[in-house]
Amino acid sequence: MALGLRCFRLVPPAFCNSLTALTRPVSEVKLKTVSGRQNDHGQYVTYPAVPIRHFATKKAKAKGKGQSQTRVNLNTALVEDIISLEEVDEEMKSVVEALKDNFNKTVNIRTSPGSLDHITVVTADGKLALNQIGQISMKSPQLILVNMASFPECTAAAIKAIRESGMNLNPEVEGTLIRVPIPKVTREHREMLVKLAKQNTNKAKDSLRKVRTNAMNKLKKSKDKASEDTIRLIEKQISQMADDTVAEMDRHLAVKTKELLG
């Protein structure tokens, strides 16, 4: 026994360290060879392994995201008894068309009489378009007139609606005649129109979300007509349609913004 202990004391310390390292998990120990030899034994020094976290690059994330989102292309005729995807598609397209029409009528560098037609006036008889209660005309390139002679009681409401239309208009009244000076085309005016275009786009996206929600609610009521896998595919198809519509709205907004800022 004593002889064994004496022999153990003769073992090089570096070798003892390597024995200790062998009792640790591999993930906690890293061995590094040291150059040179001593007593015909290779020397090894142990270092605790430092855990390293490798973060994914943006390119890798984008690639992974693209791979995980497989597009769905269901045959609308096969799921017609569950939900009409064609009707959902038409409703979503109508939201886009309404946004484009809004851009053409209200978000223009040059204000025209037609730009005021859509303005909604709150009256005692309900909400009415301005061109239903007033005669709109262009007196000069710098001035639009709104004649409220047919509905003089709505003059104050019409002025309020024009001022709050978001078109940067400051109407003036002379009896039943509303004078609307056209703003000068300044950088500030252009930026205001871009802001208005963004607001209109956000409202359109709200309308789109309602279309999507209504479609999903209708689908939930039809769960007993199809398998869970089929329902999930239809849900994915509806979400995909909504995402495509949002992307189209953003494209129209980008085009309009470029047009306004010149």
Side-chain angles (χ1 to χ4, degrees), residues 103 201 248-260:
F103 280 174
T201 303
E248 184 178 357
M249 290 181 182
D250 289 337
R251 285 194 296 270
H252 287 301
L253 175 60
V255 172
K256 176 57 70 171
T257 299
K258 185 177 180 180
E259 173 191 321
L260 293 172

Side-chain angles (χ1 to χ4, degrees), residues 102-154:
N102 182 280
F103 280 174
N104 293 331
K105 289 183 176 179
T106 68
V107 190
N108 290 305
I109 296 176
R110 297 291 180 182
T111 305
S112 64
S115 301
L116 276 62
D117 290 347
H118 79 289
I119 295 178
T120 302
V121 182
V122 180
T123 69
D125 297 325
K127 296 181 179 180
L128 299 172
L130 182 60
N131 62 355
Q132 291 181 301
I133 58 177
Q135 184 179 357
I136 306 173
S137 61
M138 177 78 80
K139 183 176 181 180
S140 70
Q142 291 79 35
L143 184 65
I144 296 176
L145 298 179
V146 183
N147 192 332
M148 300 293 297
S150 300
F151 296 89
E153 69 278 7
C154 299

Side-chain angles (χ1 to χ4, degrees), residues 155-194:
T155 302
I159 293 173
K160 183 175 184 293
I162 294 171
R163 186 174 289 117
E164 296 177 355
S165 64
M167 299 172 63
N168 195 31
L169 301 175
N170 295 303
E172 304 168 355
V173 62
E174 295 179 2
T176 58
L177 186 65
I178 301 175
R179 301 166 61 87
V180 185
I182 297 176
K184 293 181 180 180
V185 183
T186 62
R187 182 69 183 180
E188 182 181 1
H189 180 59
R190 291 174 182 269
E191 291 176 351
M192 184 279 301
L193 290 175
V194 170

